[in-house]
Amino acid sequence: MAIMMSGRKGVTGASSGGSKRTRAKLDLGYGDDDDELDDEDEDSEDEGESSEEESEEEETVDAKRLRLAKDYLGKIEAQDSSDSDGSSAATDSDTDDKVGKRILKERLKSTGLLQTCIAESVSRGIQEMKATIEASDSAEELAKSWIDKKYVTYHRGHDLTPTCVALSREGHHAFSGSKDGSLIMWDVEEGRKMTTILSSKRADNQSQYARNERELLALAASDDGRYLATAGRDKCVRVFDIRTLGNTDTASPVTIFEGHKKAVTALAFRSRTMDLYSGSEDRCIRRYDLGAMTYVETLYGHQSAVVGMDCANKNRPVSIARDRTVRVWKVEEDSHFVFRPGGDVGSADCISAIQDGWFVTGHDDGRLALWREEKKRPVGDVITAAHGYEGTSDGSKRSVVCCDGVAMSDVLATGSNDGHLRLWKVSTGECAGINPLESIPMHGHVNDVAVGPEGRFCVAAVGQEPRLGRWDRVARAKNRFAIIRLRNEL
């Protein structure tokens, strides 16, 4: 009992003395700690659940990316395996090599650096169309046969001779300009006029001088489908926003660049950028940044009127002038290369950049030449009479008025006044050179040409007079915008 009492007293004493308050505090504190621990446990559980949810979300995103990548690789492997059916079994290394090449091909295609060979398919398509047309000794009758078969379609819209054309990157829309100052937007697939951007019946002074000032000489469309640049004898470069063009009679330009002292005869966008270049009869080349809608700089070097320009992916535009030189402008280094065709070669009338470092020039003496930046002379054999002769073979050679090629491909189209649009195969490999491919009859002056994507079609400005003058007029020709099929389907 004593032990029990002492034990009880100890408990009682402890509960009634100083230790009692201490223990009471400890007991109360212990209870508070329990509550706090419980709260912390609940918070930690909530945080754990939220972190688990976040980790699940992150894992879900990663898993989705992994799944999409596996699906993409699976499709590529399935296509490669289907292509190799019937052949010997491929090893894993061969399969990986094919997949790597396929991915590299897709990447180059997305950046516009994939080189394609479409000359054979274009030639095959034209031969199939020729097989359905009766032969004729008259070039004019032969051209009419192509029109009757709907392989070549002419479209009204310009009162005077069309001088320039341009295509959107996808090839859905085309643009044409004329000596009457009109600018028209076309739907290529449907073959119809969409809208008249600039009308020939503007409220201008009707004197002969003002009429000549309205002539449009050059067009260029940006790769992203946003802007269209126009230029002519009024010494100005006008920029239109293609996205805002509606079915109205006229449209207003976004901006107008002034600065050239004479007619602007050449325009070129750098591929996949907003850099625009203009060449003029004042011997100057001006550079603009359409991202900021500002003028950037002027390039000097030509000793005569600039008549043509083009630019590929690198910031190295190429230009031609009446001084019988071809110049490649190293804009970033503030210098340029000069190419001289030779003493007996006429000045170039047109130029087309096939790819970076390679370009083709057409001359007023009928020559067609392929150039490479690393060499000062043309590569391969020069075509001496690309569009034949005036009259007999003893006559003067017809000039190559216009040329255009599909970027990063082997197809080139040229035009003149010989009654044909001619197609060429351009090789840039070890056996570099230009070889004739096919020809399509077209009556009149082919003043400008633009080849569509994959060489499916091309558009041309066809008229009675040449682009920069009124000599050698073809009376029976029509002033039309033309759409030419190069395959059975657009």
Side-chain angles (χ1 to χ4, degrees):
M1 291 294 295
I3 296 173
M4 291 179 66
M5 289 297 294
S6 61
R8 187 178 292 271
K9 282 182 181 179
V11 173
T12 305
S15 60
S16 59
S19 59
K20 175 181 177 182
R21 289 191 297 270
T22 304
R23 289 196 61 177
K25 289 181 181 180
L26 289 173
D27 291 340
L28 292 173
Y30 182 79
D32 295 339
D33 291 341
D34 286 340
D35 295 339
E36 292 177 0
L37 289 174
D38 292 339
D39 294 339
E40 290 177 359
D41 291 339
E42 292 176 359
D43 294 340
S44 62
E45 289 177 359
D46 294 340
E47 292 176 358
E49 291 176 359
S50 62
S51 61
E52 289 177 359
E53 291 176 356
E54 292 177 357
S55 62
E56 288 178 359
E57 291 179 358
E58 292 177 358
E59 291 176 356
T60 303
V61 173
D62 294 339
K64 183 177 180 180
R65 291 176 179 172
L66 182 61
R67 177 176 56 81
L68 293 176
K70 288 182 177 180
D71 292 342
Y72 178 69
L73 292 175
K75 290 179 181 179
I76 294 177
E77 292 177 355
Q79 292 177 0
D80 292 336
S81 62
S82 62
D83 294 340
S84 60
D85 285 344
S87 60
S88 58
T91 62
D92 293 339
S93 60
D94 294 337
T95 303
D96 294 340
D97 188 33
K98 289 182 179 179
V99 172
K101 290 181 179 179
R102 181 67 178 273
I103 294 175
L104 178 61
K105 181 179 179 180
E106 294 293 336
R107 184 178 67 83
L108 291 175
K109 185 177 181 180
S110 63
T111 56
L113 298 176
L114 178 63
Q115 189 168 2
T116 57
C117 298
I118 59 176
E120 298 301 328
S121 60
V122 170
S123 177
R124 186 166 53 251
I126 295 176
Q127 289 177 1
E128 291 176 357
M129 291 185 286
K130 281 185 175 180
T132 63
I133 296 177
E134 296 180 0
S136 176
D137 295 334
S138 173
E140 185 176 351
E141 291 296 330
L142 191 59
K144 186 177 179 181
S145 300
W146 280 73
I147 297 174
D148 294 338
K149 289 289 186 178
K150 305 294 184 182
Y151 298 147
V152 177
T153 57
Y154 283 177
H155 303 274
R156 295 174 177 267
H158 299 292
D159 296 332
L160 299 181
T161 300
T163 56
C164 47
V165 292
L167 269 174
S168 62
R169 183 184 175 189
E170 296 81 7
H172 300 314
H173 301 143
F175 308 90
S176 62
S178 171
K179 287 186 176 182
D180 59 14
S182 60
L183 176 62
I184 300 176
M185 180 178 180
W186 306 87
D187 188 323
V188 177
E189 294 181 355
E190 298 182 4
R192 65 178 181 87
K193 180 171 70 173
M194 295 183 62
T195 183
T196 300
I197 304 173
L198 292 177
S199 175
S200 60
K201 299 178 176 60
R202 298 197 297 272
D204 294 338
N205 185 5
Q206 295 301 317
S207 65
Q208 185 67 24
Y209 178 77
R211 179 179 178 180
N212 291 342
E213 288 252 322
R214 293 203 304 265
E215 290 185 9
L216 296 179
L217 301 177
L219 296 177
S222 60
D223 285 345
D224 61 354
R226 294 176 61 187
Y227 297 117
L228 173 71
T230 69
R233 295 198 181 277
D234 60 354
K235 313 170 190 177
C236 299
V237 177
R238 289 175 169 82
V239 179
F240 294 88
D241 192 338
I242 301 175
R243 301 167 297 175
T244 62
L245 298 179
N247 296 322
T248 58
D249 293 337
T250 57
S252 299
V254 176
T255 187
I256 301 176
F257 294 110
E258 299 178 348
H260 283 295
K261 298 178 181 179
K262 292 186 178 181
V264 183
T265 55
L267 289 173
F269 273 99
R270 179 189 170 193
S271 181
R272 298 177 179 271
T273 67
M274 290 287 100
D275 290 340
L276 174 66
Y277 294 91
S278 65
S280 170
E281 291 181 351
D282 62 3
R283 303 177 297 175
C284 297
I285 295 173
R286 294 170 67 88
R287 178 188 174 193
Y288 313 93
D289 180 9
L290 296 194
M293 288 296 172
T294 58
Y295 157 78
V296 179
E297 61 180 336
T298 300
L299 307 179
Y300 299 94
H302 280 295
Q303 302 301 313
S304 186
V306 179
V307 295
M309 286 195 68
D310 203 358
C311 189
N313 290 281
K314 289 183 179 180
N315 197 11
R316 289 190 175 186
V318 290
S319 62
I320 54 175
R322 294 300 182 195
D323 57 4
R324 297 195 302 174
T325 63
V326 183
R327 298 175 188 253
V328 177
W329 301 88
K330 302 168 64 176
V331 177
E332 297 176 355
E333 291 85 357
D334 196 17
S335 64
H336 65 276
F337 295 131
V338 180
F339 300 85
R340 303 183 187 276
D344 60 338
V345 181
S347 62
D349 276 346
C350 58
I351 188 168
S352 177
I354 301 297
Q355 55 182 285
D356 287 331
W358 293 85
F359 51 92
V360 176
T361 56
H363 299 256
D364 58 8
D365 60 355
R367 299 177 190 247
L368 191 65
L370 175 65
W371 299 80
R372 188 179 180 183
E373 279 189 10
E374 288 79 7
K375 294 187 176 182
K376 291 293 185 180
R377 295 294 179 184
V379 179
D381 296 332
V382 177
I383 308 297
T384 55
H387 283 267
Y389 297 83
E390 296 279 356
T392 63
S393 59
D394 297 332
S396 61
K397 300 174 184 176
R398 298 178 186 271
S399 63
V400 182
V401 178
C402 61
C403 64
D404 184 64
V406 183
M408 300 300 296
S409 75
D410 57 349
V411 171
L412 178 77
T414 61
S416 183
N417 64 339
D418 64 332
H420 287 84
L421 176 72
R422 300 188 182 273
L423 299 169
W424 310 82
K425 181 178 180 180
V426 181
S427 302
T428 57
E430 295 181 357
C431 300
I434 303 176
N435 297 299
L437 195 62
E438 294 290 343
S439 64
I440 297 175
M442 299 192 71
H443 186 59
H445 287 271
V446 182
N447 288 320
D448 198 8
V449 64
V451 186
E454 301 176 359
R456 294 180 288 112
F457 66 93
C458 65
V459 297
V462 184
Q464 297 177 346
E465 301 172 350
R467 181 172 75 105
L468 298 176
R470 302 192 64 183
W471 59 84
D472 196 14
R473 189 171 184 270
V474 181
R476 294 177 60 87
K478 303 294 184 181
N479 296 323
R480 298 289 185 266
F481 167 76
I483 301 176
I484 304 101
R485 289 189 180 184
L486 302 182
R487 301 182 187 180
N488 288 332
E489 296 181 357
L490 289 179

